[in-house]
Amino acid sequence: MVGGFRWAAMFPDEVWEHVFSFLPADADRNAAALVCRAWYRIERRSRWRVFVGNCYAVEPAAAVRRFPEVRAAAIKGKPHFADFNLVPSDWGGGAEAWVEAMAEGWPHLEELRLKRMVVSDDCLELIARCFKNFKVLSLVSCEGFSTAGLAAIAANCRNLRELDLHENEVEDNCLHWMSHFPESFASLVTLNIACLEGEVNVSVLERLIGRCPNLKTLRLNHSVPLERLVGLLHRVPQLVDLGTGKFAAQHHPELFSKLESAIAGCKNLKSLSGFWEAGPTYLPAIYSVCEGLTSLNLSYATLQGPELIKLISRCKNLQRLWVMDLIEDDGLIAVAASCKLLQELRVFPSDPYGAAQPISLTEHGLVAISAGCPMLHSVLYFCRQMTNAALLTVAKNCPNFTCFRLCIMEPHTPDYITRQPLDAGFSAIVESCKHLRRLSLSGLLTDLVFKSIGASANCLEMLSVAFAGDGDAGLHYILSGCKNLRKLEIRDCPFGDKPLLDNAAKLETMRSLWMSSCSVTLGACRQLARKMPLLNVEVINERKRGLPLELQPDNCPVEKLYIYRTVAGPRSDTPSCVWILR
Amino acid sequence: MTPPLEHDYLGLPESPGEVSGNLKDTELRLGLPGSESPERFDGGGAGLTLGLPKNFVSGAKRGFSDAIDGPDAWVLPGVKGSEEERGKGGEKANGKLLGPPSVGKDDGGAAKVAPSPKAQVVGWPPIRSYRKNTMAANPSKNKDDAKGKQGLECLYVKVSMDGAPYLRKVDLKTYSNYKELSLALEKMFTCFTIGQCGSYGMTGREILTEGRVMDLLQGSEYVLTYEDKDGDWMLVGDVPWEMFTDSCRRLRIMKGSDAIGIAPRAMEKSKSRN
């Protein structure tokens, strides 16, 4: 910038605002805000959407002050490994502080999306009371609230368009919460109640959706019986996304044909999910809409391979498929032959603890999909065996992967043919897939794989590592490479203090680092905390025996470590098992 | 069959002396925050009292801990050093690995390489709790229907506590006796008691009201009850552990005063079963 020249004076503020509105990413807006004070001022006043990837990275009040015109906010709380019970249940992630600050400073808030946070009924009541134009509530993997809180939302949010409850733990203490939607309420576009465990009053639901002409997404919970699905579908033929309730009933030809025609009547259906307890009996009732489907989630249906093949081979336009490993290799080969537009595949284990008979889902299924589906870019695959050769083939077939998550269920499993570690296979993946943003490793792995990842995975943003590596070098390769790494989560690996301390500065460029059951000592954490004031170094020790943490020696092993960058300083809501080192 | 004796199957440590050093640290006591004895390691103040005052007299009104191990307060099972050092300890306090050894199933017939025993590791394979709960609740109609409830090896039951703002779920299969269960529950619900609330960051609306606080201070205890297969509410601890896990559908930590009358039914019920 030439001395004295003021960019901002070139145009009125409104013009700059309009220009900024074309910036696609928050990172771009952040960059614009750094150019000069005037741009900072203009940008902050015109930002209406914020994403807070870690609720403790900034004080709620500070965020609200900086961006006063926000209409849509998304906030994430607990670390990802909380999904697998590795984070103590009282760790934190409470939404209250944020909701209170937002109620105070963003009265015009319209959209709120929370993930992995503890949301109380009080929070929901506050939302219902304070945001007059509230339109979208999305809660994903949250807990702490009940249907009483939902009743408050239903009763007060006159303009609600989306109520999206995805995989939350919701207590059922208000059976008639849906009756709290007023008779005049007709604005719903999305209603996802699949995670609710209690009974749903289907008649109330019928009346509700009957008066919402814009309803596009309806995901029911397993309590809604198949017979009632017919009546519901008749009221919403414009549906695009359907999550069925219980998809099983006694065989009844009349019910079958009613269901078949009700579903056929939904000419815009693109996405199907639910299928709780689905059996072969009623599955053919959906055949008529298969050709139009782009998304199919059968991951809670324990259908067998042959039924799955019959269904999925009709879905020629499928882009996303979530299914159980009961589909087996044969089923995946059929998918590869039929679903040429497939972009995302997730295969979940029907029997993760290995008690039942073996399932024939192996590396062959994955290779078949990689060969048959040229548009595939996202994979989550649970299996029990893998080879380097298979991974090399997959890497060659699919250089466009953005997300590759392979979970070989037994830790330390090598290539079952050569008995070698799977370093070569995963290295091939990262070397071939130049746009890879997310990677989860498994199987027997040495430090070599980390060398490849550190060197090649230039777009990688999130890496999950378990039961891998030989020593410190592994972690050092990652932290000294992977220039776009944002989230790193590690469990049960022999990584210690040295790579952490040597790469302390890297941690400030990332959102967070989780390490549990590794070889990190308290002394290193103390050093790290002293050296890096913009990091919160949280040591989680649930055993609680012996001396309090302040008095433990430096060589005391750390069970769980969660480090994240923050401008808010240490948080004040830590439970007794969490210490924030200074 | 006579009604089972309370203490026979609870597996108290062989030599209580060897773990006494740890007991003091984790013994639960009732009191105002900051009034704990100096040995007690805990930053957070008063813990949840599911134990009983020392002068409690056994009778119709039975406390949970009395059912577990007599008039002593809850104790921490002896720390199992080797499992913890192995570094697979998860969320559970004693880091115990549980579950039957998993059958290595390589379709290629390869031998297992992993040297560690095939016990169930916490949080592995990485499957979301929601998915595990849902699969456990809706058992599959797999090829192998004869096996009955599918081998997901987890048994989630809801746990509610009177006065707590929300309920939790526990997987009964991860515990092998009542002591482990009681310890886990204590950890889980401690955050709802007086001393912890401040550090937990909850507002006044969520913590127990002053009336409740006074109740606690006056020594009314909580008892752990469960709803069994028949829909009856029973006191936890009456039956052998395996029988309990088979029949328990949900748990509730209720005020002792509400639990009067449960005990006699439990005894009669088990008598009538025999």
Side-chain angles (χ1 to χ4, degrees), chain A residues 458-512:
Chain A
N458 294 320
C459 288
L460 195 65
E461 296 178 1
M462 181 167 179
L463 178 63
S464 308
V465 186
F467 304 104
D470 303 318
D472 288 348
L475 181 55
H476 179 72
Y477 286 133
I478 298 296
L479 292 178
S480 58
C482 296
K483 54 187 198 320
N484 280 306
L485 195 64
R486 290 193 293 119
K487 289 180 283 182
L488 179 58
E489 46 187 25
I490 302 172
R491 63 164 295 176
D492 294 276
C493 296
F495 300 148
D497 299 338
K498 192 170 188 317
L500 270 187
L501 292 171
D502 289 348
N503 294 286
K506 169 78 169 182
L507 298 177
E508 242 181 52
T509 68
M510 293 164 51
R511 181 187 300 172
S512 65

Side-chain angles (χ1 to χ4, degrees), chain A residues 167 197 299 409 419 492 517, chain B residues 87 111 113 124 128 131 169:
Chain A
E167 298 194 356
E197 292 184 358
S299 66
M409 285 190 271
R419 318 304 299 152
D492 294 276
S517 305
Chain B
V113 164
W124 189 267
R128 281 196 177 179
R131 177 167 289 276
K169 276 193 168 132

Side-chain angles (χ1 to χ4, degrees), chain B residues 117-132:
Chain B
K118 322 269 184 325
Q120 207 172 297
V121 175
V122 172
W124 189 267
I127 299 168
R128 281 196 177 179
S129 316
Y130 176 81
R131 177 167 289 276
K132 279 198 282 196

Side-chain angles (χ1 to χ4, degrees), chain B residues 4 55 96 156 160 214 227 259:
Chain B
N55 57 357
K96 191 166 196 239
Y156 279 90
S160 60
M214 293 315 292
E227 184 182 13

